[in-house]
Amino acid sequence: MEQQIQKFPEGFLWGTATASYQIEGAWNVDGKGVNVWDTFTHEGGHVVNNETGDVACDSYHKYKQDVALMKQIGFSHYRFSLSWARIFPDGNAASYNDLGMQYYRDLVDELLTNDIIPMVTLYHWDLPQALQDVGGWLNESIVDHFNDYARKCYQELGSKVKYWITHNEPYETCWSAYGLGEDAPGFTAHPSTYPYQCAHNIIKSHAKAWHTYDSEFRATQKGKVGITLNVEWKEPKDSTQTAAADRSIQFMLGWFAHPIYTNGDYPDVMIQQVGKKSREQGLEESRLPKFSQEEMDFIKGSSDFFGVNHYTTRLVEEKIHSPADASFLNDQDTLESVDPSWPRAASKWLYEVPWGLRKVLNFIKAEYNNPEIIITENGVSDSTGDLDDDFRIRYHSSYIQSMQKAMRDGCKVFGYTIWSLLDNFEWALGYSEKFGIHQVDFSNSSRPRRPKKSASWFKELIANNGF
């Protein structure tokens, strides 16, 4: 039996995570502008039961309760996101709203008073609607708007915040929102072009925000700026399918990681594959945009750590798709499936496959020059929110042990972050799926929180810094 590391290194970070739209509520309070999720949910027809994040967990008013829950468990860090539209209601610097920033100053101070490290995500999907109205992530002007927003956040919070994450899961922004249409703003008409345009601008916006920190703030604030990328492990369905599996992970993770952590450009297999599929359509140019050499030099190395969101694994095999059905997904010429023996969570996409995390971390180690890694999300859903959540304890225990094995393999993992502190608004699935280690009663206007069994389990794990 493989030996397990029982204890984690001294100083290993144990934390939990949330996102602004999913927990804050207060959608039109204290000068906040409208964001794309306000619009998307208020339109109706996009979310289970037409639910919204108008109130959500009401963390805008209950942040002190949230911090007290974290303190009770012993978390060393809290990863949360800022609402761009709370700070710049119209998305641009001229619309700055200090009342919105004050909420985050107060939250950061409350965390530090309780010896909890703030880890701040600048963008977790809630784009100001005013920027969406001029094209959102498809309009290159957003690169400068994002940089203005990042700079203001560094200026106002950077003396106390030492971990910054530019984007959360840009893969989901660009595919789920601009290709599949499941997330706001819900675009479906151009799945073969919009996702690539979106990613091109997000990568440039990330690099610019990193360079702004590097040149204007690092010397005095001494913090770090990274990005969080989501990745499923892609396991070949059989020994003949290794090329298909590699292509799949390059399209998911390499799309963003290869430019930032390798050479400033997209993975070779992605350039070749999208070029080939574009030619098959009769197009003269690839649908995958090109970076200039100057842009590649600017993007390469623009991250101080590698944030990983990981939940599950897929089996992959080759399947050639017709050029008549062109999309980001079909460009890959793959087919994904799952092993019927894998336990499934409430989320239809989430299967419990702990060994996939070790493989993901070793892939990152080999592919991206062994970067400093933090798991910025890992978690599991149910549909009831019951306090007795032994399945969640099993899931986290097995994934943490898989992470330990990767650390023994030489992966430089410095922290682990649970998704999520609270049951919350799970995007298009509303409140039907629950990831929290605390139950929230959404039928009660005061949104009371109650710890689940997993909260006690984590308290013991963290107190022991291991098993």
Side-chain angles (χ1 to χ4, degrees), residues 61-331:
H61 299 108
K62 300 187 181 301
Y63 70 91
K64 289 188 177 182
Q65 287 184 32
D66 294 345
V67 175
L69 296 175
M70 293 178 236
K71 179 72 170 177
Q72 168 68 22
I73 292 172
F75 287 124
S76 51
H77 71 276
Y78 177 41
R79 177 182 173 237
F80 62 96
S81 76
L82 309 181
S83 166
W84 189 343
R86 228 179 254 300
I87 294 166
F88 288 176
D90 290 337
N92 60 60
S95 66
Y96 175 64
N97 171 38
D98 194 62
L99 274 176
M101 186 67 81
Q102 189 59 45
Y103 168 67
Y104 297 113
R105 290 192 200 103
D106 292 343
L107 173 55
V108 167
D109 285 345
E110 187 71 13
L111 288 164
L112 293 173
T113 298
N114 286 279
D115 300 315
I116 298 168
I117 299 164
M119 187 174 290
V120 174
T121 303
L122 290 168
Y123 185 73
H124 198 131
W125 306 356
D126 46 356
L127 188 71
Q129 183 61 43
L131 292 181
Q132 188 60 57
D133 290 344
V134 294
W137 291 108
L138 303 177
N139 184 336
E140 193 175 4
S141 69
I142 201 168
V143 174
D144 286 331
H145 286 305
F146 184 74
N147 191 55
D148 291 343
Y149 164 59
R151 178 184 283 114
K152 187 64 174 175
C153 295
Y154 300 152
Q155 286 170 343
E156 297 295 329
L157 302 173
S159 65
K160 297 176 179 179
V161 173
K162 303 307 172 188
Y163 290 98
W164 295 94
I165 294 163
T166 54
H167 288 270
N168 176 79
E169 299 188 354
Y171 175 94
E172 298 302 332
T173 302
C174 295
W175 178 232
S176 293
Y178 283 78
L180 279 177
E182 292 176 355
D183 290 343
F187 291 160
T188 58
H190 304 280
S192 69
T193 53
Y194 278 10
Y196 296 121
Q197 292 173 36
C198 167
H200 209 64
N201 288 325
I202 282 187
I203 291 164
K204 289 195 276 192
S205 77
H206 159 81
K208 190 156 191 173
W210 182 88
H211 280 282
T212 293
Y213 190 86
D214 194 51
S215 61
E216 299 177 26
F217 298 94
R218 188 185 301 277
T220 54
Q221 296 183 356
K222 298 179 171 56
K224 294 182 177 183
V225 179
I227 189 168
T228 279
L229 304 177
N230 59 308
V231 55
E232 298 167 345
W233 176 244
K234 308 294 189 177
E235 181 74 5
K237 188 158 188 185
D238 62 48
S239 61
T240 68
Q241 300 296 333
T242 54
D246 182 69
R247 199 160 62 243
S248 182
I249 200 166
Q250 292 293 351
F251 267 76
M252 185 174 202
L253 182 64
W255 193 9
F256 301 93
H258 199 273
I260 294 166
Y261 295 95
T262 302
N263 70 348
D265 201 2
Y266 298 112
D268 289 345
V269 70
M270 207 172 170
I271 295 168
Q272 293 159 9
Q273 187 74 11
V274 182
K276 182 183 82 165
K277 302 298 280 191
S278 299
R279 288 190 298 275
E280 288 174 0
Q281 286 180 275
L283 300 175
E284 292 184 9
E285 288 192 1
S286 175
R287 289 179 277 101
L288 184 68
K290 290 182 173 63
F291 292 116
S292 69
Q293 187 60 52
E294 185 181 12
E295 287 170 334
M296 287 192 280
D297 292 342
F298 192 69
I299 292 162
K300 178 185 176 182
S302 60
S303 189
D304 301 320
F305 59 88
F306 198 124
V308 174
N309 286 3
H310 174 76
Y311 291 84
T312 195
T313 287
R314 288 292 181 273
L315 303 176
V316 183
E317 61 192 297
E318 177 131 340
K319 182 185 180 184
I320 306 301
H321 294 280
S322 163
D325 297 322
S327 72
F328 163 77
L329 203 61
N330 288 345
D331 281 345

Side-chain angles (χ1 to χ4, degrees), residues 21 149 172 409 421:
Y21 187 78
Y149 164 59
E172 298 302 332
D409 297 335
L421 175 68

